[in-house]
Amino acid sequence: APDGTLVCWLGKPGASEDPQGLGRDILIMLNGTPETRNFTMPAATRGIRWRVFMDTAKESPKDIYPNYDGPLAPANRQVELLYRSAMVWVGES
């Protein structure tokens, strides 16, 4: 993006591509700017319960949740990303 930020939603695979139902929705937020920025989760992702999977601004072990059990997204869908950081969210299955 021209301003150094990006939000990318990767929808979970359909039943024919994922017969065991293991796929998940993924939402990636990148802040490549030298300033803290506020992000809004896309309206199209309403209805998905998002949990933090990775947050590069946090110290270990709160930076990665390999069991998909990170904190839930805020109810107002507003997320603050520190400068030069990334967050990855996973939809609950």
Side-chain angles (χ1 to χ4, degrees):
D3 70 351
T5 63
L6 173 75
V7 175
C8 179
W9 173 33
L10 305 169
K12 68 181 175 182
S16 60
E17 297 90 22
D18 185 23
Q20 295 177 334
L22 300 176
R24 292 176 182 259
D25 288 282
I26 299 171
L27 186 63
I28 302 167
M29 297 177 172
L30 302 174
N31 180 7
T33 74
E35 301 168 353
T36 297
R37 293 285 173 95
N38 292 315
F39 288 72
T40 301
M41 294 181 152
T45 67
R46 287 190 190 280
I48 299 171
R49 279 178 50 106
W50 294 106
R51 288 192 172 271
V52 173
F53 174 69
M54 181 190 76
D55 184 350
T56 65
K58 301 287 185 192
E59 295 290 327
S60 182
K62 297 293 184 187
D63 57 339
I64 297 177
Y65 295 86
N67 296 319
Y68 310 117
D69 60 350
L72 284 168
N76 66 4
R77 305 175 62 79
Q78 302 293 311
V79 179
E80 184 179 85
L81 262 71
L82 293 182
Y83 57 93
R84 295 187 178 93
S85 68
M87 288 185 83
V88 177
W89 301 83
V90 293
E92 287 189 336
S93 57

